[in-house]
Tab-separated table of all heavy atoms in Angstrom:
chain	number	residue	atom	x	y	z
A	726	ILE	N	-93.527	-42.695	70.528
A	726	ILE	CA	-94.791	-42.675	69.658
A	726	ILE	C	-95.838	-43.559	70.323
A	726	ILE	O	-97.083	-43.183	70.415
A	726	ILE	CB	-94.452	-43.195	68.222
A	726	ILE	CG1	-93.529	-42.223	67.477
A	726	ILE	CG2	-95.751	-43.419	67.421
A	726	ILE	CD1	-93.121	-42.744	66.161
A	727	GLY	N	-95.440	-44.758	70.714
A	727	GLY	CA	-96.436	-45.639	71.411
A	727	GLY	C	-96.973	-45.146	72.687
A	727	GLY	O	-98.132	-45.335	72.986
A	728	ILE	N	-96.055	-44.444	73.455
A	728	ILE	CA	-96.616	-43.875	74.748
A	728	ILE	C	-97.366	-42.588	74.527
A	728	ILE	O	-98.494	-42.395	75.191
A	728	ILE	CB	-95.400	-43.656	75.643
A	728	ILE	CG1	-94.735	-45.093	76.050
A	728	ILE	CG2	-95.839	-42.903	76.914
A	728	ILE	CD1	-93.479	-44.850	76.892
A	729	ALA	N	-96.922	-41.681	73.744
A	729	ALA	CA	-97.512	-40.412	73.612
A	729	ALA	C	-98.913	-40.538	73.017
A	729	ALA	O	-99.801	-39.751	73.328
A	729	ALA	CB	-96.688	-39.543	72.575
A	730	VAL	N	-99.223	-41.527	72.192
A	730	VAL	CA	-100.442	-41.704	71.665
A	730	VAL	C	-101.516	-42.061	72.693
A	730	VAL	O	-102.756	-41.945	72.472
A	730	VAL	CB	-100.427	-42.758	70.540
A	730	VAL	CG1	-100.375	-44.252	71.062
A	730	VAL	CG2	-101.576	-42.691	69.480
A	731	ASP	N	-101.062	-42.589	73.891
A	731	ASP	CA	-101.985	-42.989	74.911
A	731	ASP	C	-102.872	-41.782	75.345
A	731	ASP	O	-104.137	-41.850	75.318
A	731	ASP	CB	-101.232	-43.463	76.116
A	731	ASP	CG	-100.583	-44.897	75.809
A	731	ASP	OD1	-100.706	-45.309	74.684
A	731	ASP	OD2	-99.966	-45.399	76.785
A	732	ASP	N	-102.235	-40.646	75.716
A	732	ASP	CA	-103.101	-39.533	76.081
A	732	ASP	C	-103.833	-38.960	74.962
A	732	ASP	O	-104.998	-38.389	75.102
A	732	ASP	CB	-102.153	-38.436	76.685
A	732	ASP	CG	-101.758	-38.783	78.136
A	732	ASP	OD1	-102.289	-39.742	78.708
A	732	ASP	OD2	-100.791	-38.145	78.636
A	733	THR	N	-103.242	-39.035	73.714
A	733	THR	CA	-104.013	-38.603	72.486
A	733	THR	C	-105.308	-39.352	72.355
A	733	THR	O	-106.315	-38.758	72.048
A	733	THR	CB	-103.112	-38.708	71.246
A	733	THR	OG1	-101.891	-37.978	71.500
A	733	THR	CG2	-103.868	-38.141	70.140
A	734	ILE	N	-105.166	-40.624	72.551
A	734	ILE	CA	-106.392	-41.483	72.434
A	734	ILE	C	-107.420	-41.089	73.458
A	734	ILE	O	-108.623	-41.022	73.092
A	734	ILE	CB	-105.986	-42.991	72.523
A	734	ILE	CG1	-105.264	-43.468	71.286
A	734	ILE	CG2	-107.248	-43.900	72.856
A	734	ILE	CD1	-104.762	-44.884	71.406
A	735	HIS	N	-106.990	-40.967	74.716
A	735	HIS	CA	-107.961	-40.627	75.751
A	735	HIS	C	-108.608	-39.251	75.362
A	735	HIS	O	-109.786	-39.101	75.574
A	735	HIS	CB	-107.273	-40.548	77.112
A	735	HIS	CG	-107.066	-41.873	77.693
A	735	HIS	ND1	-108.121	-42.692	78.251
A	735	HIS	CD2	-105.857	-42.595	77.917
A	735	HIS	CE1	-107.596	-43.740	78.711
A	735	HIS	NE2	-106.230	-43.805	78.467
A	736	PHE	N	-107.856	-38.322	74.900
A	736	PHE	CA	-108.415	-37.007	74.570
A	736	PHE	C	-109.336	-37.086	73.401
A	736	PHE	O	-110.475	-36.583	73.356
A	736	PHE	CB	-107.272	-35.959	74.339
A	736	PHE	CG	-107.782	-34.665	73.923
A	736	PHE	CD1	-108.169	-33.720	74.804
A	736	PHE	CD2	-107.952	-34.357	72.526
A	736	PHE	CE1	-108.638	-32.507	74.470
A	736	PHE	CE2	-108.414	-33.111	72.166
A	736	PHE	CZ	-108.800	-32.165	73.127
A	737	MET	N	-108.774	-37.637	72.302
A	737	MET	CA	-109.554	-37.673	71.055
A	737	MET	C	-110.798	-38.473	71.159
A	737	MET	O	-111.856	-38.209	70.652
A	737	MET	CB	-108.672	-38.200	69.923
A	737	MET	CG	-107.526	-37.247	69.503
A	737	MET	SD	-108.223	-35.700	68.821
A	737	MET	CE	-106.679	-34.829	68.378
A	738	HIS	N	-110.707	-39.621	71.873
A	738	HIS	CA	-111.910	-40.527	72.009
A	738	HIS	C	-113.023	-39.814	72.735
A	738	HIS	O	-114.114	-39.853	72.232
A	738	HIS	CB	-111.434	-41.768	72.822
A	738	HIS	CG	-112.503	-42.760	73.161
A	738	HIS	ND1	-113.358	-43.282	72.190
A	738	HIS	CD2	-112.959	-43.282	74.311
A	738	HIS	CE1	-114.204	-44.059	72.765
A	738	HIS	NE2	-113.998	-44.083	74.037
A	739	LYS	N	-112.671	-39.153	73.815
A	739	LYS	CA	-113.784	-38.448	74.602
A	739	LYS	C	-114.149	-37.162	73.816
A	739	LYS	O	-115.389	-36.847	73.818
A	739	LYS	CB	-113.289	-38.113	75.999
A	739	LYS	CG	-112.985	-39.346	76.826
A	739	LYS	CD	-114.132	-40.299	76.893
A	739	LYS	CE	-113.852	-41.554	77.645
A	739	LYS	NZ	-114.992	-42.524	77.620
A	740	PHE	N	-113.184	-36.517	73.221
A	740	PHE	CA	-113.561	-35.225	72.575
A	740	PHE	C	-114.593	-35.494	71.497
A	740	PHE	O	-115.588	-34.826	71.316
A	740	PHE	CB	-112.354	-34.584	71.977
A	740	PHE	CG	-112.622	-33.460	71.007
A	740	PHE	CD1	-113.019	-32.235	71.451
A	740	PHE	CD2	-112.635	-33.761	69.573
A	740	PHE	CE1	-113.315	-31.207	70.525
A	740	PHE	CE2	-112.945	-32.780	68.682
A	740	PHE	CZ	-113.286	-31.433	69.207
A	741	HIS	N	-114.315	-36.462	70.583
A	741	HIS	CA	-115.226	-36.738	69.501
A	741	HIS	C	-116.548	-37.226	69.921
A	741	HIS	O	-117.618	-36.951	69.338
A	741	HIS	CB	-114.546	-37.649	68.500
A	741	HIS	CG	-113.439	-37.006	67.713
A	741	HIS	ND1	-113.747	-36.008	66.764
A	741	HIS	CD2	-112.109	-37.135	67.618
A	741	HIS	CE1	-112.641	-35.552	66.226
A	741	HIS	NE2	-111.649	-36.223	66.733
A	742	ARG	N	-116.603	-37.954	71.090
A	742	ARG	CA	-117.912	-38.414	71.596
A	742	ARG	C	-118.733	-37.188	71.984
A	742	ARG	O	-119.893	-36.999	71.628
A	742	ARG	CB	-117.763	-39.359	72.729
A	742	ARG	CG	-117.417	-40.787	72.327
A	742	ARG	CD	-117.486	-41.671	73.538
A	742	ARG	NE	-118.773	-41.569	74.285
A	742	ARG	CZ	-118.990	-42.313	75.362
A	742	ARG	NH1	-118.032	-43.024	75.934
A	742	ARG	NH2	-120.182	-42.217	75.968
A	743	HIS	N	-118.150	-36.290	72.746
A	743	HIS	CA	-118.860	-35.081	73.195
A	743	HIS	C	-119.148	-34.161	72.013
A	743	HIS	O	-120.307	-33.544	71.910
A	743	HIS	CB	-117.999	-34.346	74.245
A	743	HIS	CG	-117.768	-35.047	75.526
A	743	HIS	ND1	-118.905	-35.313	76.299
A	743	HIS	CD2	-116.631	-35.486	76.192
A	743	HIS	CE1	-118.427	-35.968	77.412
A	743	HIS	NE2	-117.051	-36.007	77.342
A	744	PHE	N	-118.253	-34.067	71.105
A	744	PHE	CA	-118.460	-33.187	70.015
A	744	PHE	C	-119.558	-33.696	69.048
A	744	PHE	O	-120.394	-32.907	68.571
A	744	PHE	CB	-117.126	-33.020	69.191
A	744	PHE	CG	-117.184	-32.002	68.001
A	744	PHE	CD1	-117.693	-30.723	68.298
A	744	PHE	CD2	-116.725	-32.371	66.772
A	744	PHE	CE1	-117.795	-29.795	67.277
A	744	PHE	CE2	-116.821	-31.459	65.770
A	744	PHE	CZ	-117.351	-30.162	66.020
A	745	ASP	N	-119.581	-34.936	68.801
A	745	ASP	CA	-120.584	-35.502	67.903
A	745	ASP	C	-121.974	-35.472	68.635
A	745	ASP	O	-122.988	-35.388	67.908
A	745	ASP	CB	-120.255	-36.932	67.561
A	745	ASP	CG	-119.116	-37.086	66.595
A	745	ASP	OD1	-118.776	-35.983	65.996
A	745	ASP	OD2	-118.530	-38.102	66.562
A	746	GLU	N	-122.007	-35.510	69.995
A	746	GLU	CA	-123.254	-35.432	70.683
A	746	GLU	C	-123.850	-34.041	70.676
A	746	GLU	O	-125.069	-33.862	70.445
A	746	GLU	CB	-123.054	-35.876	72.110
A	746	GLU	CG	-122.988	-37.396	72.341
A	746	GLU	CD	-124.320	-37.976	72.210
A	746	GLU	OE1	-125.325	-37.260	72.416
A	746	GLU	OE2	-124.468	-39.191	71.874
A	747	THR	N	-123.014	-32.978	70.865
A	747	THR	CA	-123.511	-31.661	71.061
A	747	THR	C	-123.194	-30.679	69.967
A	747	THR	O	-123.869	-29.698	69.843
A	747	THR	CB	-122.842	-31.073	72.365
A	747	THR	OG1	-121.394	-30.895	72.080
A	747	THR	CG2	-123.010	-31.997	73.466
A	748	GLY	N	-122.168	-30.964	69.125
A	748	GLY	CA	-121.744	-30.066	68.079
A	748	GLY	C	-121.107	-28.761	68.630
A	748	GLY	O	-120.807	-27.965	67.848
A	749	ASP	N	-120.814	-28.770	69.955
A	749	ASP	CA	-120.206	-27.614	70.593
A	749	ASP	C	-118.718	-27.982	70.891
A	749	ASP	O	-118.425	-28.692	71.735
A	749	ASP	CB	-120.854	-27.260	71.869
A	749	ASP	CG	-120.409	-25.964	72.448
A	749	ASP	OD1	-119.211	-25.635	72.362
A	749	ASP	OD2	-121.214	-25.233	73.053
A	750	LEU	N	-117.803	-27.327	70.073
A	750	LEU	CA	-116.397	-27.738	70.161
A	750	LEU	C	-115.751	-27.306	71.457
A	750	LEU	O	-115.107	-28.157	72.068
A	750	LEU	CB	-115.611	-27.053	68.995
A	750	LEU	CG	-114.151	-27.448	68.863
A	750	LEU	CD1	-113.770	-27.568	67.381
A	750	LEU	CD2	-113.206	-26.479	69.567
A	751	GLU	N	-116.036	-26.174	71.990
A	751	GLU	CA	-115.503	-25.715	73.218
A	751	GLU	C	-116.067	-26.564	74.326
A	751	GLU	O	-115.214	-26.877	75.289
A	751	GLU	CB	-115.811	-24.232	73.437
A	751	GLU	CG	-115.054	-23.620	74.704
A	751	GLU	CD	-115.231	-22.209	74.843
A	751	GLU	OE1	-115.339	-21.466	73.855
A	751	GLU	OE2	-115.379	-21.751	75.992
A	752	PHE	N	-117.296	-26.896	74.361
A	752	PHE	CA	-117.837	-27.791	75.353
A	752	PHE	C	-117.117	-29.147	75.306
A	752	PHE	O	-116.775	-29.708	76.370
A	752	PHE	CB	-119.333	-27.909	75.150
A	752	PHE	CG	-119.965	-29.020	75.967
A	752	PHE	CD1	-120.222	-28.945	77.237
A	752	PHE	CD2	-120.137	-30.308	75.316
A	752	PHE	CE1	-120.718	-29.980	78.033
A	752	PHE	CE2	-120.753	-31.327	76.053
A	752	PHE	CZ	-120.962	-31.215	77.355
A	753	ALA	N	-116.883	-29.600	74.088
A	753	ALA	CA	-116.308	-30.962	73.963
A	753	ALA	C	-114.825	-30.983	74.576
A	753	ALA	O	-114.455	-31.850	75.201
A	753	ALA	CB	-116.292	-31.377	72.530
A	754	VAL	N	-114.112	-29.926	74.219
A	754	VAL	CA	-112.769	-29.810	74.755
A	754	VAL	C	-112.736	-29.707	76.277
A	754	VAL	O	-112.030	-30.443	76.958
A	754	VAL	CB	-112.024	-28.599	74.060
A	754	VAL	CG1	-110.753	-28.268	74.889
A	754	VAL	CG2	-111.778	-28.802	72.673
A	755	CYS	N	-113.591	-28.781	76.864
A	755	CYS	CA	-113.624	-28.643	78.266
A	755	CYS	C	-114.105	-29.883	78.986
A	755	CYS	O	-113.477	-30.245	80.076
A	755	CYS	CB	-114.514	-27.380	78.651
A	755	CYS	SG	-113.886	-25.884	77.970
A	756	GLU	N	-115.182	-30.510	78.523
A	756	GLU	CA	-115.629	-31.640	79.177
A	756	GLU	C	-114.651	-32.839	79.127
A	756	GLU	O	-114.508	-33.609	80.073
A	756	GLU	CB	-116.970	-32.116	78.582
A	756	GLU	CG	-117.655	-33.208	79.332
A	756	GLU	CD	-118.112	-32.897	80.733
A	756	GLU	OE1	-117.909	-31.729	81.127
A	756	GLU	OE2	-118.521	-33.833	81.463
A	757	THR	N	-114.017	-32.913	77.987
A	757	THR	CA	-112.960	-34.005	77.894
A	757	THR	C	-111.866	-33.729	78.895
A	757	THR	O	-111.459	-34.755	79.588
A	757	THR	CB	-112.345	-33.952	76.423
A	757	THR	OG1	-113.416	-34.223	75.528
A	757	THR	CG2	-111.203	-34.984	76.314
A	758	LEU	N	-111.304	-32.557	79.069
A	758	LEU	CA	-110.273	-32.318	80.030
A	758	LEU	C	-110.736	-32.403	81.387
A	758	LEU	O	-109.984	-32.787	82.316
A	758	LEU	CB	-109.674	-30.949	79.677
A	758	LEU	CG	-108.819	-30.900	78.444
A	758	LEU	CD1	-108.372	-29.436	78.126
A	758	LEU	CD2	-107.659	-31.798	78.375
Side-chain angles (χ1 to χ4, degrees):
I726 293 175
I728 292 177
V730 79
D731 291 2
D732 282 348
T733 305
I734 285 176
H735 282 287
F736 177 85
M737 292 295 184
H738 177 54
K739 296 304 178 185
F740 167 81
H741 285 294
R742 280 188 57 183
H743 291 300
F744 185 49
D745 289 342
E746 281 286 337
T747 67
D749 188 326
L750 186 141
E751 187 175 325
F752 166 79
V754 168
C755 294
E756 185 64 7
T757 297
L758 292 174

